Amino acid sequence: MDLAIRGARVVDGSGGPSYRADVGITDGRISTISTAERLTAARVLDADGLALSPGFVDMHAHSDLALLRDPDHSAKAAQGVTLEVLGQDGLSYAPVDDRTLAAVRTAITGWNGDGSDIDFDWRTVGGYLDRLDRNFGGQGIAVNAAYLVPQGTVRMHAVGWDDRPATARQLDRMRQLVAEGLEQGAVGMSSGLTYTPGMYADDAELTELCRVVAAHDGYYCPHHRSYGAGALAAYEEMVALTRNAGCALHLAHATMNFGVNKGRAPDLLALLDDALAAGADISLDTYPYTPGCTTLVAVLPSWAGEGGPDAILDRLADDATAERIRHHLEEIGSDGCHGVPVEWDTIEISGVTSDELGDYVGRTVAASAAARGEAPWTTARRLLLADRLGSTILQHVGHEENVRTIMRHRVHTGGSDGILQGDKPHPRAYGTFPHYLGRYARELGVLTLEEAVAHLTSRPAARLRLEDRGLVREGFVADLVLFDPETVAAGATFDAPRTPPVGIPHVLIGGKYVMKDGRRTDVLAGRSIRRTPRTGQ
């Protein structure tokens, strides 16, 4: 054996009771699990006092460019994350052509930066996955990564930024792009149905694309049409749509936010339980925090986004059109803000692309406006124009009881939704997984340690249909985390969001240390994880 981990408390990912054992690793896989005999190997790790679990799977990550630019990537590696699922919310960088790539880079600058430091030498999903594998001189990437075909990018490619139904030819082109992405290794398809242009797709169009996903044994991961007013109806829409298409459903950051949804998590879970009892294939992910995080431009009404980023900037520059936008935001409730009139005192600027705008960061739009003696919309409009739509926000609209209720559900998994950009990013990007283990398992008892680990390992691995990951089992890939169950905790806070976690000394990917004694090694053991058909199909 290459490595023997001795005396660990094995929390194997199944949800069953933990047990003490030695675990041996050979050629990147778990070769032996011994509860009686002491193992010997070329290297030995004394794990007395530590829990040993499978590596954590981040089911909702925005590291699409971070993995290419940052070989360290401790934001995730230090948390014990060994696999991230990229291509989220319907917007990412493949499949594209030159025109689409330029537009999507601008549209999600707030998520990933403008990409000026990246050589975009791919155009297809397969090309992007290949780039991950050959990155940093062929060494690979910090952690493993899977990819979802982004439906908004696909629509941008085939239809453009117009709010109109796709023609038959355009729909055929979208089907082709989704199929090609899945054939090249994507695990499913995502949507951002409060983001343009993906939100312009009607249910019939989405159903046709989901049929393609189902035919390739993938899953559909929608950021659905509302997390505020009409949230339950939006969930019902996704359940019905995927049942009609025969497609597996994974609900992205499945929260119930804003005042209208306080205490309504049981209504969502009742809907899911009824669908599951009727045979639906459903899972979901959440992050263990109440505020959300997105871009400031995302709260604008959908009509303001038609035509793409340059058209948005033109509308904001026009006084009459800007007043229409304000009226929708503040008085009607825009679809970009989930049908709820915007509350500027809940929207905190978390990042800007220009140092000259740094005074906005860490303050709500309402506070910045008050300091300037002007209306909040005037402040927001100025920032959108000056930062060319690149500003990110924290949106303080969640409810703790909803967070706890949803994370207990049997199909729940963990997803950080972590945006790594900005001077003051959401701490979920750096703290989600230890926060589950420390705060919600050890301190609050919302989940047992064994339950929490299952939510973060075997359940997402099952959704991704990874037959040799997500459990501590002989023959499985040695993606493993060793942590102290008595001290593990998120270091990241809203005031210091990039503080690393505590109590996670060792992380291995394929049997190689990516974290050792609490420090990031120089190992790049991550690779693309590509969709494979079910056994027997």
Side-chain angles (χ1 to χ4, degrees), residues 71 83 110 116 118 133 141 145 154 169 179 181 222 233 319 355 385 400 450 460-461 509:
L83 170 59
S116 58
I118 301 294
D133 289 337
I141 48 179
V154 166
R169 176 176 290 182
D319 289 343
D355 292 341
L385 286 165
E400 180 66 20
E450 290 83 0
I509 295 179

Side-chain angles (χ1 to χ4, degrees), residues 3 27 151 262 315 344-345 358 413 419 461 473 513:
L3 174 65
D27 295 332
Q151 171 260 328
K262 186 174 183 179
R315 292 186 180 102
W344 294 113
D345 60 349
T413 68
I419 294 174
R473 292 281 191 275
Y513 284 106

Side-chain angles (χ1 to χ4, degrees), residues 3-8 21-25 39 44-45 47 52 480 482 508:
L3 174 65
I5 302 171
R6 288 182 177 168
D22 288 10
V23 175
I25 298 170
L39 299 182
V44 174
L45 174 65
L52 172 68
L480 301 169
L482 289 114
L508 299 95

Side-chain angles (χ1 to χ4, degrees), residues 48 80 153 229 339 490 494 528:
D48 185 45
T153 302
F494 286 98
S528 67

Side-chain angles (χ1 to χ4, degrees), residues 177-512:
L177 289 169
V178 172
E180 288 174 352
L182 291 160
E183 289 161 2
Q184 292 164 13
V187 294
M189 180 181 76
S190 74
S191 283
L193 299 180
T194 64
Y195 299 133
T196 57
M199 68 190 303
Y200 299 143
D202 60 19
D203 282 4
E205 179 179 314
L206 294 172
T207 299
E208 287 302 308
L209 298 182
C210 282
R211 288 194 172 114
V212 176
V213 175
H216 288 80
D217 205 27
Y219 68 91
Y220 181 43
C221 180
H223 163 133
H224 52 276
R225 298 191 192 274
S226 176
Y227 291 82
L232 201 62
Y235 282 113
E236 290 173 346
E237 176 192 10
M238 295 297 101
V239 171
L241 186 155
T242 49
R243 289 299 302 278
N244 186 31
C247 185
L249 172 64
H250 180 85
L251 295 165
H253 38 61
T255 57
M256 294 286 281
N257 288 339
F258 301 90
V260 294
N261 288 315
K262 186 174 183 179
R264 295 197 67 197
D267 297 338
L268 167 61
L269 300 186
L271 166 68
L272 299 183
D273 285 337
D274 287 346
L276 288 163
D281 183 358
I282 300 175
S283 56
L284 59 87
D285 66 67
T286 70
Y287 46 84
Y289 300 86
T290 52
C293 180
T294 186
T295 54
L296 182 58
V297 67
V299 305
L300 302 186
S302 57
W303 60 262
E306 189 172 4
D310 288 341
I312 297 172
L313 291 167
D314 289 343
R315 292 186 180 102
L316 288 167
D318 179 75
D319 289 343
T321 309
E323 171 57 22
R324 283 185 61 209
I325 294 172
R326 183 208 65 78
H327 177 74
H328 275 79
L329 275 173
E330 297 184 345
E331 299 178 37
I332 297 175
S334 83
D335 45 6
C337 198
H338 307 278
V340 177
V342 69
E343 297 174 332
W344 294 113
D345 60 349
T346 69
I347 295 182
E348 176 186 355
I349 304 302
S350 60
V352 292
T353 62
S354 170
D355 292 341
E356 296 177 359
L357 302 172
D359 287 348
Y360 289 94
V361 175
R363 307 172 77 179
T364 65
V365 172
S368 288
R372 290 169 170 78
E374 62 190 17
W377 168 241
T378 303
T379 299
R381 178 189 177 194
R382 179 188 297 111
L383 180 57
L384 284 163
L385 286 165
D387 208 22
R388 293 192 61 80
L389 314 181
S391 306
T392 53
I393 62 172
L394 302 180
Q395 202 162 8
H396 297 270
V397 293
H399 306 286
E400 180 66 20
E401 68 272 29
N402 285 349
V403 170
R404 296 188 193 188
T405 299
I406 293 170
M407 74 169 64
R408 292 188 184 101
H409 198 270
R410 66 187 186 279
V411 300
H412 170 267
T413 68
S416 72
D417 196 11
I419 294 174
L420 303 172
Q421 293 293 118
D423 294 326
K424 196 184 177 197
H426 197 303
R428 68 192 185 192
Y430 291 77
T432 285
F433 296 87
H435 203 47
Y436 268 119
L437 298 173
R439 175 67 173 159
Y440 286 92
R442 183 181 65 246
E443 296 178 8
L444 298 176
V446 176
L447 300 167
T448 68
L449 179 64
E450 290 83 0
E451 288 170 338
V453 168
H455 287 227
L456 307 179
T457 60
S458 64
R459 288 188 187 179
R463 166 51 70 216
L464 296 169
R465 295 183 179 140
L466 303 177
E467 296 182 351
D468 58 358
R469 299 174 194 261
L471 292 166
V472 179
R473 292 281 191 275
E474 291 181 359
F476 275 51
V477 175
D479 292 350
L480 301 169
V481 182
L482 289 114
F483 62 91
D484 184 345
E486 300 302 318
T487 64
V488 63
T493 66
F494 286 98
D495 290 330
R498 288 190 170 90
T499 306
V502 296
I504 307 179
H506 309 297
V507 181
L508 299 95
I509 295 179
K512 298 177 180 179

